Amino acid sequence: MEELQNVVRDGGLAVSNLPEKGRCLLTTKNFHPGEVILRQEPYVCVPNNSSTVSRCDGCFASENLKKCSACQVVWYCGSTCQKSEWKLHRLECGALSRLEKEKRKAVTPSIRLMVRLYLRRKLQNEMFIPTGVTDSYNFVESLVSHLKELDEKQLVLYAQMANLVHLILQWPEINLKEIAENFSKLACNAHTICDCELRPVGTGLYPIVSIINHSCLPNAVLIFEGKSSVVRAVEHIPEGAEVSIAYIDTAGSTMTRQKALKEQYFFTCTCTRCIKVGQHDDIQENAILEGYRCKDDRCNGFLLRDSEDKGFACQTCGLLRSKEEVKRIVCEITAISDKKLKSTSPGNHKEVISIYKMIEKLQMELCHPFSISLMRTQEELLKILMELGDWREALAYCRLTITGYQRVYPELHPLLGLQYYTCGKIEWLLGYTEDAIKSLTRAVDILRITHGTNSPFMKELVMKLDEAHAEASYNLSSKDE
């Protein structure tokens, strides 16, 4: 622990044990918005390969891949990545090659992550690869597993996964209980690796990052540059303050967030947002995000269950909405979602759009304009419209989602910045250059804080903004002539 303290203190951080929070990361200097607090490589990581998507084990690229000829499980984009991974994959490849072909299909990313965890420990113990203070299996041993808090179904699943890992490794010195416990540790402490646009591409264990606690209003953000984890400040963090990131999507009511955190991470959040639970502002926010709208279209009030339990009363105008009416619309939405979306043929985008618009219409009738469920439907419509190349309607939905994002996310949230970026690209494509400049400028203002300024992604964004400015100047000079 003392060696770890010395390492992180050199970077302006200190590991501390607080009675109410346990182990956490504190600052030993001031950090400003956009400043890198922590950068760390994974102890182990794997790409999220599936039957439809494959990625390079070295860089997570998804193009020009070749499968390992021996194990037929792992992919590489070229010799450079293959060589960089060879020390670990040499052992993994031999273990996977012993499996029957049918059993190899059951080797999911989670199974591979666990296999690689043990193989890395073996290589470090035998001194084939170096061991550092922040790059040691000792960190894994110190993680909390919450095994006692798991239900029987989850315990059985971990036992089955442990059996497969044991079968792959064939090491008599490790027992099934230890493997199952490590699966539980990874479930709480591993991180989803995302690309620059926050699309999941893999899973990794980052020892120091795993110390950082959650907040529904965090002062830092976790972004990935390739496989490297980067934690940046999104607000001024004074010396002695705790660093916090968000473990979950924070765009939900307090009850929804608390439920998600309790189910996956086994704790009750006491951040500045969550301690307001039950207060008037929190009740109002929950009713807006996940409740119903007033029947009067001219009223923007939120609804709460009335005292006589007859329905839901508008807190602005007092108009009552019956339980029967609410139930009828909810049942219609559920029926459309469950039956029609499942029965649509793959690639039939127009049919899917029609169904989502039916759901959207019902949600607009039932839900508050800032409803999370309505926003999610509009996100899906935006995605499909972009795939179809229907840019004008896509722009309309993109602007709608930005209004929703502004409501549910902090000002410097990467998802809001990315949505502005999408909006700017569509506006520029449609020839709305001035609008594109405004959207791209907002994207740069947010993403330079969350993503930094040196990544290829940010350089491309800044270049697009410069090109839009140049086009606007050209258009203006052409008019003057």
Side-chain angles (χ1 to χ4, degrees):
M1 185 72 172
E2 188 177 340
E3 289 179 328
L4 173 63
Q5 285 282 22
N6 292 335
V7 170
V8 295
R9 190 175 285 114
D10 290 341
L13 300 167
V15 178
S16 180
N17 275 296
L18 299 180
E20 69 278 12
K21 289 190 174 183
R23 199 160 59 168
C24 63
L25 209 60
L26 304 179
T27 60
T28 58
K29 69 171 191 175
N30 290 324
F31 284 95
H32 301 284
E35 192 174 351
V36 173
I37 298 171
L38 174 66
R39 188 185 294 270
Q40 189 178 32
E41 297 300 315
Y43 183 70
V44 284
C45 68
V46 290
N48 286 348
N49 289 345
S50 66
S51 58
T52 56
V53 178
S54 298
R55 293 186 180 277
C56 171
D57 241 51
C59 65
F60 289 7
S62 57
E63 296 177 352
N64 302 318
L65 302 180
K66 289 185 178 179
K67 190 180 282 188
C68 173
S69 58
C71 70
Q72 293 289 304
V73 173
V74 178
W75 297 80
Y76 294 107
C77 66
S79 58
T80 302
C81 283
Q82 189 173 17
K83 287 175 183 175
S84 71
E85 295 290 311
W86 179 239
K87 282 184 180 179
L88 192 57
H89 184 59
R90 179 177 62 83
L91 297 181
E92 181 188 31
C93 189
L96 292 173
S97 298
R98 289 194 298 266
L99 283 180
E100 298 172 9
K101 283 189 177 181
E102 283 304 308
K103 280 197 168 64
R104 284 185 215 175
K105 293 177 183 177
V107 179
T108 62
S110 297
I111 298 293
R112 280 199 63 213
L113 190 68
M114 186 60 66
V115 169
R116 291 169 76 85
L117 183 74
Y118 280 102
L119 292 175
R120 186 171 180 85
R121 183 183 73 173
K122 176 182 173 66
L123 288 170
Q124 287 186 324
N125 288 344
E126 295 173 357
M127 298 184 181
F128 281 104
I129 56 175
T131 303
V133 177
T134 63
D135 186 33
S136 164
Y137 187 80
N138 292 338
F139 246 109
V140 180
E141 291 182 323
S142 69
L143 296 174
V144 179
S145 69
H146 297 285
L147 204 62
K148 293 180 181 178
E149 296 168 79
L150 298 178
D151 59 30
E152 188 177 350
K153 184 180 178 182
Q154 193 64 50
L155 287 171
V156 169
L157 176 61
Y158 285 159
Q160 291 170 341
M161 294 166 72
N163 266 311
L164 181 53
V165 171
H166 200 272
L167 178 67
I168 293 168
L169 293 174
Q170 297 183 14
W171 294 353
E173 66 269 25
I174 57 170
N175 60 60
L176 294 175
K177 186 180 177 182
E178 179 192 333
I179 302 172
E181 187 172 2
N182 277 339
F183 271 120
S184 188
K185 287 179 179 181
L186 291 180
C188 300
N189 294 281
H191 287 85
T192 300
I193 301 171
C194 296
D195 66 11
C196 54
E197 296 187 53
L198 304 190
R199 294 171 298 208
V201 295
T203 306
L205 179 63
Y206 298 83
I208 304 297
V209 178
S210 68
I211 296 174
I212 302 174
N213 282 322
H214 164 86
S215 171
C216 298
L217 197 61
N219 54 22
V221 64
L222 172 62
I223 297 292
F224 295 89
E225 296 176 1
K227 295 192 293 190
S228 302
S229 64
V230 184
V231 179
R232 285 189 177 86
V234 292
E235 60 183 57
H236 174 248
I237 307 176
E239 181 182 346
E242 183 184 0
V243 178
S244 60
I245 58 175
Y247 291 1
I248 59 169
D249 186 346
T250 56
S253 69
T254 303
M255 287 181 65
T256 298
R257 298 194 313 273
Q258 292 278 19
K259 183 174 182 287
L261 290 166
K262 194 71 175 174
E263 287 178 354
Q264 186 171 353
Y265 299 101
F266 306 100
F267 73 90
T268 300
C269 184
T270 56
C271 72
T272 52
R273 283 182 73 186
C274 289
I275 58 172
K276 295 178 182 178
V277 63
Q279 296 178 14
H280 178 269
D281 287 350
D282 181 65
I283 292 169
Q284 178 177 333
E285 186 71 2
N286 292 350
I288 289 171
L289 294 179
E290 297 178 6
Y292 310 122
R293 68 171 300 153
C294 182
K295 285 182 72 172
D296 187 345
D297 291 337
R298 297 167 297 178
C299 178
N300 203 32
F302 65 96
L303 276 59
L304 295 177
R305 193 179 293 275
D306 78 311
S307 56
E308 297 178 6
D309 200 25
K310 292 180 179 179
F312 301 87
C314 177
Q315 302 303 294
T316 301
C317 70
L319 197 62
L320 188 72
R321 195 158 198 179
S322 71
K323 288 195 293 185
E324 291 73 23
E325 181 189 8
V326 169
K327 186 177 179 181
R328 174 184 61 78
I329 301 174
V330 168
C331 287
E332 284 186 56
I333 293 171
T334 304
I336 294 170
S337 302
D338 289 349
K339 294 179 182 178
K340 294 194 176 179
L341 279 177
K342 289 178 182 177
S343 63
T344 52
S345 53
N348 194 338
H349 288 46
K350 290 185 178 179
E351 186 182 356
V352 175
I353 286 174
S354 174
I355 291 168
Y356 271 116
K357 285 190 174 180
M358 288 168 64
I359 295 171
E360 180 193 28
K361 184 179 178 182
L362 288 167
Q363 287 175 334
M364 290 175 74
E365 182 184 345
L366 177 67
C367 304
H368 193 278
F370 289 117
S371 158
I372 295 291
S373 57
L374 176 58
M375 186 179 79
R376 297 302 183 213
T377 300
Q378 291 168 342
E379 285 174 341
E380 288 298 322
L381 281 164
L382 168 61
K383 180 182 173 183
I384 299 164
L385 288 163
M386 288 178 66
E387 288 175 3
L388 280 175
D390 189 342
W391 300 114
R392 292 190 186 280
E393 194 167 8
L395 178 58
Y397 277 102
C398 193
R399 288 171 173 172
L400 281 173
T401 57
I402 284 176
T403 303
Y405 281 25
Q406 288 171 327
R407 173 81 191 203
V408 299
Y409 292 122
E411 187 179 354
L412 292 175
H413 195 287
L415 284 175
L416 179 58
L418 289 168
Q419 209 69 351
Y420 272 118
Y421 188 17
T422 299
C423 192
K425 287 190 287 187
I426 298 173
E427 286 165 339
W428 194 15
L429 183 68
L430 291 171
Y432 307 144
T433 310
E434 294 298 332
D435 290 336
I437 289 171
K438 291 176 185 176
S439 296
L440 293 173
T441 300
R442 285 294 294 124
V444 169
D445 289 344
I446 296 169
L447 297 176
R448 68 181 176 84
I449 300 297
T450 61
H451 286 60
T453 56
N454 294 323
S455 67
F457 168 76
M458 281 304 298
K459 288 177 180 177
E460 181 184 335
L461 168 54
V462 172
M463 185 177 70
K464 276 187 169 59
L465 178 57
D466 290 342
E467 288 174 2
H469 274 298
E471 186 176 298
S473 298
Y474 175 79
N475 291 343
L476 186 64
S477 62
S478 297
K479 285 181 182 178
D480 292 340
E481 291 174 8

